[in-house]
């Protein structure tokens, strides 16, 4: 059974950077789509970025474009999210998700994903 574990969250001032990592272990079949989602208190979960692990294609929410970069490290079985120029509105619990999809996207991933426990990101002004 696949297990996802996030790390790298924390508190940072606006304009700063954080790097989230999602370590994948114990999987019996390769996930073809991995992504990061976030949920702030009182708000719906939203997709941030996804990567098609078989072809390397990346997909970003408009709020993440130009500031966030998703990447995969196959040697360490991790998917990372580099977040730069953080804003207070980026504060949320960030979750890693992995799914076996024929076509990777932020829209399709949640319906079939396995999820990590989340890591908190807090951006202060």
């Amino acid at each position: 059974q696949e297990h996802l574990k996030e790390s790298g969250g924390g508190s940072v001032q606006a304009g700063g950077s954080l790097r989230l990592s999602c370590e994948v272990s114990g999987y019996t079949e390769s996930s073809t789509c991995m992504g990061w989602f976030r949920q702030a208190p009182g708000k719906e979960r939203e997709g941030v970025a996804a990567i098609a692990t078989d072809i390397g294609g990346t997909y970003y929410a408009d709020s993440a474009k130009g500031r966030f970069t998703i990447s995969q490290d196959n040697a360490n079985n991790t998917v990372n999210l580099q977040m730069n120029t953080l804003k207070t509105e980026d504060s949320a619990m960030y979750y890693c998700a992995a799914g076996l999809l024929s076509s990777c996207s932020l829209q399709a991933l949640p319906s079939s994903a396995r999820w990590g426990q989340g890591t908190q990101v807090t951006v202060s002004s």
Side-chain angles (χ1 to χ4, degrees):
Q1 183 176 357
E2 193 170 67
H3 178 67
L4 308 176
K5 183 177 181 181
E6 303 95 336
S7 62
S11 297
V12 65
Q13 287 192 323
S17 299
L18 283 173
R19 183 178 177 86
L20 305 184
S21 291
C22 176
E23 181 179 1
V24 183
S25 62
Y27 59 88
T28 58
E29 60 181 8
S30 298
S31 295
T32 58
C33 183
M34 294 192 66
W36 287 93
F37 293 76
R38 67 187 184 187
Q39 188 167 21
K43 294 187 177 181
E44 293 187 354
R45 182 182 62 199
E46 63 172 337
V48 177
I51 184 167
T53 57
D54 49 354
I55 61 173
T58 56
Y59 315 92
Y60 295 94
D62 287 343
S63 59
K65 289 179 181 177
R67 299 189 299 127
F68 295 1
T69 303
I70 189 169
S71 61
Q72 57 181 346
D73 180 349
N74 293 329
N76 294 304
N77 292 328
T78 60
V79 172
N80 303 307
L81 184 68
Q82 178 67 42
M83 305 188 295
N84 298 328
T85 320
L86 283 162
K87 305 176 181 179
T88 55
E89 51 263 44
D90 294 319
S91 296
M93 185 70 80
Y94 282 69
Y95 298 91
C96 178
L100 185 62
L101 300 174
S102 58
S103 180
C104 183
S105 71
L106 284 171
Q107 293 72 31
L109 183 54
S111 63
S112 64
R114 294 169 290 280
W115 298 88
Q117 295 298 307
T119 185
Q120 179 68 40
V121 171
T122 303
V123 184
S124 59
S125 59

